[in-house]
């Protein structure tokens, strides 16, 4: 049986931020250093990035391996969803990568393939779907429900009793006001919350909101 092969999929900004965490996790699993690679569809032959090989997806699949694992380190939700479907079809397992200083409190359900950057906190009684990204210093407070392929840029403050539906993107430093028990503030499916927005009420699916208080941007 060949050794497992692990990758950070995406060799750009997001991936370069995740690779050191992945490396630390790989070391803790006792993996040889060369069993962790970047995968990128724009890989150049022989490319090395920050000390790690960069393979095309085809080369990653062709490399002899037992089980293959991938951490999807691309911020764009739609791209993540497309790639997750391909990985699943090819039998590549989702890999959750979390910084060693992430704080996770009680009763947190975290879906597969999450990426949790340094200084992230998930407090208590939270449900999070698949392939969640929480970038540096973001937090999720009590009683939140977060869907699949949701992305938090750095410093997102997601307070209590908030529902964030699938594929929503929350920009850097956004603050989301807490909802009430049984009456959550809802960020709709695929909505985009702009950088620094202060969200005081629910956001419709697909809308982009900006400012303080956050308002829907007309297209
Ligand atoms: N990418 C890929 N397959 C795709 C879409 C994107 O391998 O289907 C790669 C792309 O080549 C790039 C990275 O993912 O290297 C995305 O980088 P970008 O700077 O756009 O976003 P971020 O790193 O911030 O998520």
């Amino acid at each position: 049986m060949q050794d497992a092969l692990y990758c950070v999929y995406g060799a750009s900004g997001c991936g370069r931020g995740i690779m050191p965490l992945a490396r630390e996790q790989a070391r803790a699993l006792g993996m040889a250093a060369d069993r962790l690679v970047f995968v990128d569809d724009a890989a150049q032959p022989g490319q090395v990035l920050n000390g790690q090989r960069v393979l095309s997806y085809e080369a990653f699949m062709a490399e002899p391996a037992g089980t293959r694992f991938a951490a999807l380190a691309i911020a764009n939700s739609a791209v993540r969803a497309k790639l997750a479907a391909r990985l699943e079809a090819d039998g590549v397992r989702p890999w959750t990568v979390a910084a060693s200083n992430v704080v996770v409190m009680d009763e947190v359900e975290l879906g597969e393939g999450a990426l949790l950057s340094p200084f992230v906190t998930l407090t208590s009684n939270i449900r999070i779907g698949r392939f969640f990204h929480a970038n540096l210093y973001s937090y999720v407070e009590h009683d939140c429900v977060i869907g699949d392929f949701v992305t938090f840029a750095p410093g997102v403050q997601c307070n209590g009793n908030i529902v964030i539906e699938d594929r929503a993107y929350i920009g850097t430093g956004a603050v989301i006001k807490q909802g009430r028990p049984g009456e959550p503030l809802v960020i709709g499916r695929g909505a985009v919350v702009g950088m620094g927005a202060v969200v005081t009420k629910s956001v419709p699916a697909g809308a982009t909101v900006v400012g303080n208080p956050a308002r829907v941007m007309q297209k």
Side-chain angles (χ1 to χ4, degrees):
M1 182 70 164
Q2 287 280 345
D3 285 346
L5 184 62
Y6 288 73
C7 80
V8 170
Y9 203 136
S12 189
C14 181
R16 279 179 287 128
I18 293 301
M19 181 54 88
L21 312 177
R23 203 182 286 128
E24 195 179 324
Q25 233 168 263
R27 217 176 275 138
L29 289 170
M31 281 165 43
D34 70 342
R35 303 310 284 167
L36 173 63
V37 299
F38 279 110
V39 168
D40 199 288
D41 292 314
Q44 302 300 311
Q47 190 183 353
V48 174
L49 178 63
N50 294 353
Q52 233 75 38
R53 288 185 295 153
V54 185
L55 303 183
S56 67
Y57 183 66
E58 292 70 26
F60 173 70
M61 293 307 290
E63 181 126 340
T67 312
R68 290 181 174 75
F69 293 89
L72 271 179
I74 295 175
N76 184 296
S77 301
V79 172
R80 254 186 358 267
K82 177 192 81 176
L83 294 177
R86 180 165 72 165
L87 293 169
E88 192 176 358
D90 291 344
V92 180
R93 308 256 292 266
W95 189 27
T96 295
V97 173
S100 56
N101 67 357
V102 164
V103 175
V104 178
M105 298 187 181
D106 288 337
E107 304 295 331
V108 174
E109 209 179 288
L110 182 63
E112 60 189 8
L115 302 184
L116 306 178
S117 293
F119 305 101
V120 163
T121 299
L122 310 175
T123 72
S124 297
N125 305 97
I126 292 164
R127 206 165 73 230
I128 298 174
R130 303 165 70 228
F131 298 96
F132 176 53
H133 276 198
N135 215 319
L136 304 166
Y137 292 99
S138 292
Y139 70 74
V140 181
E141 254 284 21
H142 63 90
D143 301 302
C144 286
V145 177
I146 294 180
D148 296 334
F149 303 104
V150 169
T151 306
F152 282 12
V156 169
Q157 299 177 45
C158 176
N159 291 296
N161 293 298
I162 290 167
V163 171
I164 302 185
E165 294 179 350
D166 296 348
R167 303 191 186 197
Y169 179 90
I170 317 296
T172 300
V175 180
I176 311 174
K177 186 182 175 185
Q178 77 173 69
R180 295 205 186 94
E183 210 183 312
L185 186 152
V186 180
I187 309 281
R189 183 184 163 90
V192 175
V193 174
M195 190 192 316
V198 177
V199 180
T200 57
K201 52 184 198 216
S202 291
V203 175
T208 296
V209 298
V210 293
N212 176 10
R215 293 200 170 86
V216 174
M217 228 171 89
Q218 300 305 332
K219 297 214 168 102

